[in-house]
Amino acid sequence: MAYKTYSMELAGRTLSIDIGRVAKQANGAALMHYGDTTVLCTATASEKPREGIDFFPLSVEFEEKMYSVGKIPGGFNKREGKASENAVLTARVIDRPMRPLFPKDYRNDCSLNNLVLSVDPECRPELVAMIGSAVATSISDIPFYGPCATTQMGMVDGEFIVNPSQEVWDNGDLRLTVASTAEKVIMIEAGANEIPEDKMIEAIYKCHDVNQTIIALINQMVEEIGKPKHEYTSCAIPEEMFEEIKKIVPPDEMEEAVFSDDKQTREENVRQVTEKLAEAFAEKEDWLEILDEAVYQYQKKTVRKMILKDHKRPDGREITQIRPLAAEVDLIPRVHGSAMFTRGQTQICNITTLAPLSEKQRIDGLDANKTEKRYMHHYNFPSYSVGETKPSRGPGRREIGHGALAEKALLPVLPSEEEFPYAIRSVSETFESNGSTSMASTCASCMSLMAAGVPIKKMVAGISCGLVTGETDDDFVLLTDIQGLEDFFGDMDFKVTGTEDGITAIQMDIKIHGLTRPIVEGAIARCREARMFIMDTCMKPAISEPREKVGQYAPKIIQIMIDPQKIGDVVGQRGKTINALIERTGVKIDINDEGQVSICGEDEAMMNEAKRLIEIITTDFHQGQILEGDVVSIKEFGAFVEFAPGKEGMVHISKIAKERINHVEDVLTLGDHVKVVCLGKDKMGRMSFSIKDVK
């Protein structure tokens, strides 16, 4: 392919795309430039599907290279290690709009790789990779019903900013990512500072409009340099097999099998249906190989018909009805905060841990603004939560994504470090799972934080809305609080978290080629109703506001400000003073460059003692000041008294006792605890102290 460059103006900066310049052996490759940000995006696919594959094996990578920001990786290895949390979340955001646009019966291995080569802080590499993946796939010979495009939106002082700089993205009131096809919105991801629903919808459709300009450029590229799409082996279930299945298991029998609010009962019913069909097809080996997929699709058609035509849900609920709710706090002893939230067969237990700010997570990534994280939300999904037996292999991409979504949901309501000087870790343990555990995690962690005494500004809840569509855009049903089956067989999982005043996070996954505006608006409105219901009827009765104090077992923190010029006095030479303070009082001490000192411990008396000593160290002595200390040195002319680690004063022999003494040792011995008064400066300009003049 000849080297060709395409370009367009996008949000005040030039987006240029080099085709045929590098990576020519990939099915599709685009060297993307936006400002000085450069990302190589490639799309590759295998010639044939792997044996026995019953799903579409798409892998998406976002490779952060430290050279792109002029850094050498930290640690001993000096190579990039496993993907960062940001890289995993970016790969997920690329995957979600792209995956539904591949043919449903395509099973070839497909890989979308995004290599970050350089980063301009004004142009986020994540956005460039999202656009680049769509470009590389669209111009390749891989079957794809695109193109799609992605736009990001920030907001400062109520004003929208299209494709914001990294700084605006990090510090603004909105972090919205929207992917679209030429007709419809296909993916939404948002973190927001309590943005009202109508403002969010306005931002979503501003992104959608910008996407149309990018799609126009990609269409031009496909027309001029796009490769013909390759043929592939379809894995679609033969129509005659479906006809035979319906004769053996009529639709009403299948309906009865899936119509249950208990997951285990439903799974057993489906297992029996599968066994019955396996016996009937014993002679047809080729059908037996795809029987599980055929039964899955039969279930899907049955559930969709029941919902769309009859408004019947598998567990018998109304379309807007939420499953039974339950909430409790303090179920785990000795931890700093705990809460459990149950919605039907979805159950999350959340545990909050508080620690000094020195325990913030350090981040070594491409974003210069983000070097640490004070609030960490981790989500775990053990196999027992769905009745399966699998060894634990640590968090996968799904777990990281769910934890990040719940974290995003609560960030806007957290108190500032000045108001609450703690690092906070919130862990959501999935005890039971049947649909939307990330939203249950949001509710559970909100209550857990309040139980731990974290003074969050407002209560946050989350819920997921589902969708089943018919033949036309107007033929659809929205489902409040989808369970697992409705998620698997439906067209959408639209998760929204927020307070009474606005949205804090959105994550939307769909399996169809986009959503119309009435669906988006309807889902957001439905989620708001459900959110209010959950807070009012379930969460508030369990705990309505944050506790006034942190729990008995949580560390206590005192904060004081000192003159930044005095930080060296508190630390001392090679840390001698601060280590002596810590040894004497048993507390933990953190000091930042602004002079903010955090004293952390469990013994209040020792914390107050550490505070007193730090105040002495950082205060210049003045006449009349009364101090206490220990005699640490005796000379012929007087004694030295240490008031705090590294802070000493001299008491002349004439100032020790009211009567005349010949030797200091006649009155004082090493280690004596004495009270002194500051007399001001002596003739040589040194501070002078007296024991005998203490009143």
Side-chain angles (χ1 to χ4, degrees):
M1 186 191 290
Y3 169 24
K4 193 163 184 180
T5 297
Y6 292 84
S7 65
M8 67 177 286
E9 287 304 299
L10 183 60
R13 298 181 283 268
T14 302
L15 173 73
S16 66
I17 306 167
D18 296 340
I19 306 296
R21 187 178 186 184
V22 294
K24 293 177 192 172
Q25 293 185 49
N27 295 58
L31 187 61
M32 309 289 295
H33 309 274
Y34 193 35
D36 282 342
T37 294
T38 308
V39 183
L40 172 61
C41 305
T42 57
T44 49
S46 61
E47 285 184 25
K48 291 176 188 162
R50 274 179 284 154
E51 198 68 41
I53 283 281
D54 61 352
F55 62 95
F56 172 41
L58 172 67
S59 67
V60 181
E61 302 298 334
F62 178 75
E63 295 188 29
E64 296 176 315
K65 299 294 183 181
M66 296 307 282
Y67 55 66
S68 67
V69 287
K71 284 189 198 172
I72 292 174
F76 292 104
N77 199 16
K78 298 299 174 192
R79 284 186 75 110
E80 286 82 3
K82 70 172 191 173
S84 71
E85 190 171 290
N86 179 62
V88 168
L89 297 174
T90 304
R92 279 171 61 86
V93 171
I94 295 168
D95 181 301
R96 296 208 324 262
M98 299 281 287
R99 189 177 288 271
L101 296 177
F102 289 92
K104 284 196 167 28
D105 57 347
Y106 190 57
R107 293 289 180 267
N108 298 32
D109 280 273
C110 191
S111 177
L112 306 178
N113 192 282
N114 301 276
L115 177 64
V116 181
L117 295 163
S118 78
V119 175
D120 175 347
E122 291 298 307
C123 304
R124 302 188 69 244
E126 294 84 350
L127 172 76
V128 181
M130 290 169 204
I131 298 170
S133 284
V135 170
T137 311
S138 297
I139 64 170
S140 76
D141 61 346
I142 301 167
F144 185 63
Y145 300 130
C148 60
T150 306
T151 296
Q152 294 189 317
M153 189 71 75
M155 190 170 86
V156 175
D157 299 330
E159 295 296 314
F160 290 131
I161 299 166
V162 177
N163 295 344
S165 67
Q166 191 64 57
E167 190 177 349
V168 170
W169 183 260
D170 289 335
N171 303 315
D173 291 325
L174 176 65
R175 291 170 301 286
L176 171 68
T177 304
V178 176
S180 314
T181 60
E183 293 82 31
K184 299 171 184 173
V185 168
I186 195 165
M187 192 279 303
I188 303 168
E189 172 101 15
N193 192 8
E194 291 186 272
I195 286 184
E197 277 74 2
D198 56 350
K199 191 86 172 167
M200 183 65 82
I201 290 164
E202 186 188 342
I204 289 167
Y205 280 92
K206 275 189 186 298
C207 289
H208 179 63
D209 291 343
V210 175
N211 282 337
Q212 302 315 306
T213 64
I214 304 166
I215 287 168
L217 177 68
I218 301 175
N219 278 331
Q220 182 195 338
M221 294 169 70
V222 170
E223 205 172 297
E224 293 177 16
I225 52 149
K227 297 176 185 173
K229 299 301 183 186
H230 64 224
E231 297 292 319
Y232 64 92
T233 307
S234 170
C235 70
I237 305 297
E239 199 53 49
E240 61 267 28
M241 183 177 176
F242 266 131
E243 292 309 316
E244 284 300 313
I245 287 173
K246 284 179 186 172
K247 286 176 190 170
I248 299 158
V249 182
D252 56 345
E253 195 177 315
M254 193 62 177
E255 204 170 301
E256 207 174 305
V258 296
F259 203 90
S260 169
D261 62 348
D262 182 70
K263 193 174 164 187
Q264 273 75 18
T265 305
R266 190 170 57 243
E267 284 172 357
E268 176 57 26
N269 293 346
V270 172
R271 191 189 65 75
Q272 287 177 15
V273 165
T274 309
E275 264 184 27
K276 185 176 176 181
L277 290 166
E279 283 173 29
F281 298 154
E283 305 297 316
K284 299 197 174 190
E285 274 189 40
D286 53 335
W287 283 14
L288 285 176
E289 282 176 17
I290 54 173
L291 181 59
D292 286 342
E293 176 66 15
V295 171
Y296 177 85
Q297 289 193 21
Y298 192 14
Q299 276 191 83
K300 184 172 184 172
K301 285 180 179 177
T302 305
V303 169
R304 291 174 68 83
K305 177 199 158 287
M306 285 161 58
I307 292 168
L308 198 60
K309 300 286 181 282
D310 312 326
H311 283 207
K312 279 166 72 177
R313 296 175 74 168
D315 55 7
R317 272 184 295 151
E318 296 295 319
I319 296 300
T320 58
Q321 191 180 346
I322 297 173
R323 287 171 290 172
L325 300 167
E328 56 181 302
V329 293
D330 306 330
L331 69 158
I332 313 287
R334 301 190 74 90
V335 298
H336 302 163
S338 66
M340 189 159 76
F341 180 83
T342 309
R343 195 184 61 245
Q345 287 183 296
T346 292
Q347 187 175 62
I348 297 285
C349 179
N350 188 277
I351 293 97
T352 296
T353 309
L354 305 176
L357 286 169
S358 57
E359 304 227 3
K360 287 192 278 196
Q361 182 181 353
R362 280 186 287 280
I363 297 168
D364 187 19
L366 306 187
D367 180 357
N369 303 318
K370 207 167 183 181
T371 55
E372 56 188 24
K373 193 157 82 163
R374 174 243 192 154
Y375 176 61
M376 299 149 274
H377 190 122
H378 297 147
Y379 165 97
N380 296 314
F381 185 79
S383 58
Y384 62 73
S385 67
V386 286
E388 291 178 1
T389 312
K390 278 183 195 164
S392 177
R393 294 270 184 262
R397 289 187 165 200
R398 178 182 175 278
E399 284 86 343
I400 289 168
H402 277 23
L405 178 59
E407 181 176 294
K408 208 186 286 184
L410 286 148
L411 274 173
V413 300
L414 290 177
S416 66
E417 289 183 10
E418 289 70 37
E419 294 169 282
F420 192 70
Y422 286 89
I424 308 161
R425 181 179 184 234
S426 185
V427 180
S428 292
E429 302 288 358
T430 307
F431 284 175
E432 233 187 311
S433 172
N434 185 9
S436 207
T437 44
S438 58
M439 295 297 91
S441 297
T442 301
C443 300
S445 58
C446 175
M447 295 189 296
S448 174
L449 289 166
M450 292 197 289
V454 179
I456 62 172
K457 299 181 182 82
K458 291 170 191 171
M459 188 176 265
V460 176
I463 194 70
S464 180
C465 186
L467 170 76
V468 175
T469 54
E471 297 300 315
T472 65
D473 283 350
D474 299 330
D475 187 13
F476 66 88
V477 173
L478 288 169
L479 305 170
T480 301
D481 177 27
I482 53 171
Q483 56 168 312
L485 194 72
E486 293 164 336
D487 186 2
F488 304 147
F489 297 154
D491 296 322
M492 173 179 85
D493 183 4
F494 200 129
K495 302 172 180 139
V496 183
T497 70
T499 64
E500 289 179 345
D501 296 323
I503 292 169
T504 58
I506 295 179
Q507 189 178 88
M508 185 192 88
D509 294 321
I510 63 171
K511 302 186 187 101
I512 52 174
H513 295 182
L515 302 182
T516 60
R517 186 160 181 156
I519 293 174
V520 173
E521 291 179 350
I524 287 175
R526 189 75 71 79
C527 287
R528 179 178 172 80
E529 278 169 34
R531 202 165 77 225
M532 300 305 141
F533 178 80
I534 290 167
M535 287 194 273
D536 292 341
T537 65
C538 177
M539 293 169 69
K540 286 177 185 174
I543 183 165
S544 58
E545 56 188 32
R547 299 219 163 109
E548 287 186 15
K549 289 184 178 173
V550 298
Q552 178 188 351
Y553 298 103
K556 313 298 182 287
I557 293 178
I558 296 173
Q559 271 199 333
I560 56 171
M561 289 299 294
I562 62 169
D563 181 348
Q565 304 290 323
K566 303 276 186 183
I567 292 172
D569 296 350
V570 178
V571 175
Q573 198 172 11
R574 294 195 187 92
K576 188 177 173 185
T577 305
I578 198 166
N579 286 334
L581 272 170
I582 290 166
E583 198 175 321
R584 188 185 294 191
T585 59
V587 301
K588 192 169 184 177
I589 300 168
D590 294 319
I591 310 174
N592 69 15
D593 294 343
E594 284 75 50
Q596 190 176 66
V597 182
S598 296
I599 302 160
C600 177
E602 291 180 16
D603 184 332
E604 211 166 325
M606 285 292 103
M607 290 167 68
N608 286 327
E609 174 64 5
K611 179 186 172 200
R612 185 184 73 80
L613 293 172
I614 290 168
E615 284 170 345
I616 290 170
I617 292 168
T618 55
T619 303
D620 292 324
F621 297 132
H622 57 83
Q623 192 170 346
Q625 186 177 356
I626 305 284
L627 297 159
E628 285 183 37
D630 296 331
V631 176
V632 290
S633 174
I634 292 175
K635 308 287 182 191
E636 279 184 27
F637 52 82
F640 284 89
V641 178
E642 185 183 65
F643 312 113
K647 198 85 167 178
E648 293 179 2
M650 202 270 284
V651 182
H652 191 267
I653 190 168
S654 63
K655 300 293 180 184
I656 290 174
K658 295 201 182 289
E659 66 281 359
R660 177 183 166 81
I661 58 172
N662 296 319
H663 304 286
V664 175
E665 291 94 329
D666 294 344
V667 178
L668 296 175
T669 54
L670 285 175
D672 280 356
H673 191 72
V674 294
K675 197 178 267 192
V676 300
V677 62
C678 181
L679 301 175
K681 291 181 179 174
D682 62 16
K683 290 173 187 172
M684 297 179 71
R686 296 172 304 191
M687 297 307 293
S688 175
F689 295 88
S690 167
I691 294 173
K692 74 175 187 181
D693 295 313
V694 174
K695 292 189 172 73

